Amino acid sequence: MSAIPKEEYLFKCTSACAGCSSSLCLRYVLKAAGPDTILVVPACCTSVIQGMYPGTAMNVPVYNIAFGAAAACASGLSNAFEARGEKTNVIVYAGDGGTGDIGIQALSGALERGTNFLYICYDNEAYGNTGMQRSGSTPLGARTTTTPGGKPTVKKDLDRIVEAHNPPYMATACSAYPLDLYKKVKKALSIEGPKFIHILAPCPPGWRYPAEKTVEMGKLAVKTGTWILYEREFGKLTINGPSKTAMKKPVPLEDYVRGQGRFKNVSPEIFDMMRQQVEQNIQRLSREEAGVC
């Protein structure tokens, strides 16, 4: 942790919920990016967390933009800075709804055009800012305000959609492993072209667990293999850190699921499907890293 700078670009006393892992992630993202950075933030929890001017918690410029336009706005900013010969980091910081659902068209366009920016999706697996409605990222079986009986369909595989655009760098991260996230942001910003980082950001009110359990919940997601930490640099996949161990001997999925109220009363059939999904994803990524596809 000594490698992480002491400077803070996200001040204390944000408007975040207690135990918010998204604000924790943003703190380390900005530490990695430094002061010469501009954030593009669509409608999401972060647009509330930042607070109201002049009492904002952000110590870098922030461009608040419509739900579906974040990547398009970032494309314009990136091109403008390039035309002026400036090296300012352009970072989109968006939730899963504004990335995998409403904003996916703008993201796809920016990736296809080769925009020089970093797009970060912090994924709390629902529309957190408006009351935890289901999103495309909501996992199978999870209860939300619009799926009170549990979501009947699987989580959208956003990473494979992004992968299909062949960006020079993409990675997954988790709020429970801030040093891993910090290093990935630093690496991403050192590479020219479009970059994408997908962060799992556990949400206490949305996932229905005690606020003090946020880091524990993130670690369980990784240790059970539900969320796998990896980097894909110029097409080459590398499994990172704790996921190397977890993929060989994962913690039982029950340990992750039973601590979340959103999975309360999930049926044995749905739970078995959830377990199969985890196993299949572990096998797929293991084969890819080994070069056996």
Side-chain angles (χ1 to χ4, degrees):
M1 298 295 288
S2 60
I4 298 179
K6 292 183 179 180
E7 290 79 8
E8 298 287 352
Y9 303 100
L10 179 65
F11 295 139
K12 298 178 181 179
C13 301
T14 70
S15 302
C17 301
C20 174
S21 66
S22 170
S23 53
L24 175 65
C25 294
L26 183 55
R27 180 186 178 204
Y28 287 95
V29 166
L30 292 176
K31 281 177 174 288
D36 193 6
T37 297
I38 184 166
L39 286 180
V40 180
V41 179
C44 60
C45 292
T46 302
S47 58
V48 176
I49 288 171
Q50 69 188 46
M52 296 179 66
Y53 183 84
T56 178
M58 306 293 197
N59 198 24
V60 297
V62 179
Y63 200 117
N64 293 113
I65 195 69
F67 227 142
C73 175
S75 292
L77 286 169
S78 177
N79 290 340
F81 286 128
E82 183 177 346
R84 295 175 59 175
E86 298 179 12
K87 298 294 184 180
T88 299
N89 299 314
V90 177
I91 300 178
V92 173
Y93 195 72
D96 49 284
T99 301
D101 294 343
I102 298 172
I104 198 166
Q105 86 300 340
L107 172 59
S108 177
L111 294 172
E112 186 271 332
R113 289 190 299 271
T115 299
N116 183 30
F117 77 140
L118 171 59
Y119 193 110
I120 297 176
C121 172
Y122 66 94
D123 189 351
N124 59 15
E125 299 187 323
Y127 286 90
N129 187 31
T130 52
M132 296 309 294
Q133 299 88 354
R134 63 89 84 192
S135 76
S137 282
T138 302
L140 175 70
R143 294 192 300 166
T144 69
T145 55
T146 50
T147 56
K151 184 166 176 263
T153 55
V154 300
K155 177 171 179 164
K156 184 183 295 185
D157 197 337
L158 176 60
D159 296 321
R160 296 178 83 176
I161 295 172
V162 172
E163 180 193 348
H165 294 77
N166 296 310
Y169 183 83
M170 61 179 293
T172 60
C174 178
S175 58
Y177 298 93
L179 184 56
D180 176 73
L181 171 60
Y182 174 85
K183 289 179 177 178
K184 286 173 177 174
V185 172
K186 292 290 284 188
K187 180 181 285 190
L189 293 174
S190 72
I191 297 172
E192 192 78 12
K195 288 82 59 176
F196 180 81
I197 297 179
H198 191 182
I199 307 172
L200 182 68
C203 172
W207 293 19
R208 305 177 194 177
Y209 66 81
E212 68 272 14
K213 299 286 188 180
T214 286
V215 171
E216 178 184 331
M217 201 58 62
K219 288 187 175 181
L220 280 171
V222 172
K223 291 178 180 179
T224 56
T226 303
W227 189 263
I228 298 173
L229 302 176
Y230 66 80
E231 294 174 283
R232 186 174 278 108
E233 191 170 355
F234 298 100
K236 180 176 174 52
L237 178 76
T238 303
I239 307 297
N240 300 127
S243 285
K244 284 186 172 293
T245 302
M247 290 172 69
K248 293 176 182 177
K249 191 176 180 180
V251 169
L253 183 60
E254 291 89 338
D255 291 2
Y256 177 60
V257 170
R258 69 187 174 199
Q260 302 175 51
R262 63 176 179 161
F263 290 118
K264 186 178 180 181
N265 298 326
V266 66
S267 70
E269 293 78 16
I270 293 295
F271 182 78
D272 190 53
M273 291 173 64
M274 293 166 64
R275 193 196 331 261
Q276 288 178 33
Q277 278 188 300
V278 171
E279 292 172 352
Q280 290 169 5
N281 197 41
I282 288 174
Q283 291 170 8
R284 179 178 64 85
L285 291 173
S286 296
R287 289 196 302 268
E288 182 182 346
E289 186 183 40
V292 182
C293 296

